[in-house]
Amino acid sequence: MTEYSPTDLAAQLKSGLLSFPVTHFTDDLQFDEANYRKHLSWLAEYPVAGLFAAGGTGEGFSLTLEETDRVVRAAVDEVAGAVPVLAPATGSTSNAIAQAKAAEAAGADGLLLMPPYLTEAGQDGLVEHASRVCEATGLGVIVYSRANAVLHDKAVAQLADRNPTLIGFKDGVGNIEQMTRTYARVGDRLTYIGGLPTAETFALPLLQLGVSTYSSALFNFAPKWAIEFYDAVRAQDRDEVYRRLNEFVIPYLDIRDRTSGYAVSIVKGGLAATGRPAGPVRPPLTDLREDEVAELRDLVARIS
Ligand SMILES: O=CCCC(=O)C(=O)O
């Protein structure tokens, strides 16, 4: 049972960088719980405000319901209350409700509500979908605005008014006008999380739009550097942020952008490049080529 009320969880998540760990797989693509736990134990040496198990970087979209539950339970057990652990709720309304209840039973502290599967939907339908998930559990819920579930400002306001356990909005779109409209309308009723791939890229400008923290995939293989980057963003130290963007993030993006899906695969590439392999990614993703891992190894050496 979580120790966090939704309000406490919102305040906690707003206080620091957010960890989105990869999910380790064996060579035959089975969940590698032992090495996953070892990874979380290593990352626990660094200060973060929360951990999102089986998120995008965690290839949550490639896990069965049973596997997701195993990953969440392993994270809750390994983290042992040091920071809040949030679990994914995905797919159809009924599936997301089932996962919300399973996450609560697993001891998770909150939920990240992913876009529903495949279908397009109108704003009213998205509000109804997310509200039914919020109503199904006492956990704090963060809604992920992305892909076929892009929420506009009025819908976010309706969700916030209707659902006291809705605590956060994760932006996976990067539309400046929509983010401005949303923060202008909803304000600090929600915690706003930058959730675009390689979130460091956008962290400083998004700070001005109310987005006070972000999900860091880089934290998986360069935790010290990711924390220092976050500190520079929070200090609004533009020179230091852009020095680091030029030093690492922008060359990293050049590798990431070579193939669709590399935003996740490159994180496992970073772990391979730093001697902490996490196994292959699952289809539909593809792993980085050996020469790309070597290129990434040289890049990571610059910040080590
Ligand atoms: O840079 C990181 C984005 C990670 C993320 O939002 C996710 O894994 O869902």
Side-chain angles (χ1 to χ4, degrees):
M1 183 70 183
T2 182
E3 299 293 320
Y4 288 91
S5 71
T7 304
D8 291 344
L9 180 61
Q12 168 60 25
L13 296 177
K14 199 170 184 176
S15 69
L17 188 63
L18 302 177
S19 171
F20 276 65
V22 298
T23 301
H24 293 55
F25 295 133
T26 58
D27 288 344
D28 61 349
L29 298 179
Q30 299 307 302
F31 174 41
D32 181 354
E33 181 169 344
N35 281 315
Y36 178 69
R37 284 175 172 268
K38 190 177 167 187
H39 183 55
L40 297 192
S41 176
W42 173 59
L43 292 180
E45 297 170 17
Y46 298 88
V48 292
L51 184 150
F52 289 67
T57 303
E59 295 177 77
F61 44 81
S62 294
L63 299 174
T64 66
L65 295 184
E66 186 275 333
E67 288 174 328
T68 300
D69 192 52
R70 277 187 61 202
V71 171
V72 170
R73 286 178 181 272
V76 168
D77 185 61
E78 193 63 36
V79 170
V83 295
V85 173
L86 288 91
T90 66
S92 66
T93 308
S94 50
N95 188 79
I97 288 172
Q99 284 194 296
K101 293 180 182 293
E104 195 161 21
D109 300 292
L111 294 169
L112 175 59
L113 177 58
M114 302 293 197
Y117 176 66
L118 188 65
T119 184
E120 284 66 40
Q123 296 291 294
D124 291 346
L126 292 172
V127 168
E128 189 61 31
H129 167 72
S131 295
R132 290 178 184 229
V133 178
C134 289
E135 290 156 7
T137 168
L139 294 179
V141 178
I142 296 166
V143 64
Y144 194 179
S145 178
R146 181 171 175 175
N148 59 333
V150 176
L151 288 161
H152 299 158
D153 55 304
K154 289 179 182 175
V156 177
Q158 287 169 9
L159 271 173
D161 292 343
R162 179 171 162 182
N163 301 287
T165 59
L166 183 81
I167 61 167
F169 174 90
K170 185 166 183 271
D171 175 45
V173 180
N175 180 314
I176 294 176
E177 178 179 340
Q178 263 310 323
M179 197 60 238
T180 301
R181 285 176 177 270
T182 298
Y183 187 60
R185 184 182 292 270
V186 183
D188 291 329
R189 160 67 177 82
L190 297 178
T191 291
Y192 300 91
I193 299 170
L196 285 161
T198 317
E200 283 79 1
T201 316
F202 318 91
L204 185 60
L206 285 178
L207 203 55
Q208 300 308 320
L209 305 183
V211 181
S212 57
T213 185
Y214 54 89
S215 47
S216 177
L218 295 182
F219 178 74
N220 274 279
F221 60 85
K224 181 175 180 292
W225 189 91
I227 294 286
E228 290 167 351
F229 186 98
Y230 170 81
D231 289 343
V233 168
R234 293 300 301 172
Q236 300 193 56
D237 182 346
R238 187 169 56 184
D239 291 345
E240 179 61 7
V241 168
Y242 275 88
R243 184 190 70 76
R244 286 173 178 264
L245 287 172
N246 280 318
E247 175 187 50
F248 182 76
V249 177
I250 292 171
Y252 177 87
L253 300 183
D254 291 341
I255 300 172
R256 182 205 69 180
D257 290 347
R258 289 181 189 155
T259 300
S260 294
Y262 263 17
V264 175
S265 309
I266 197 171
V267 183
K268 283 191 169 176
L271 284 163
T274 50
R276 295 176 182 272
V281 293
R282 279 184 174 175
L285 301 184
T286 52
D287 288 302
L288 269 62
R289 300 190 314 265
E290 277 305 313
D291 63 297
E292 292 172 323
V293 174
E295 191 178 349
L296 190 52
R297 187 173 293 111
D298 292 343
L299 187 56
V300 173
R302 291 187 197 175
I303 62 172
S304 302

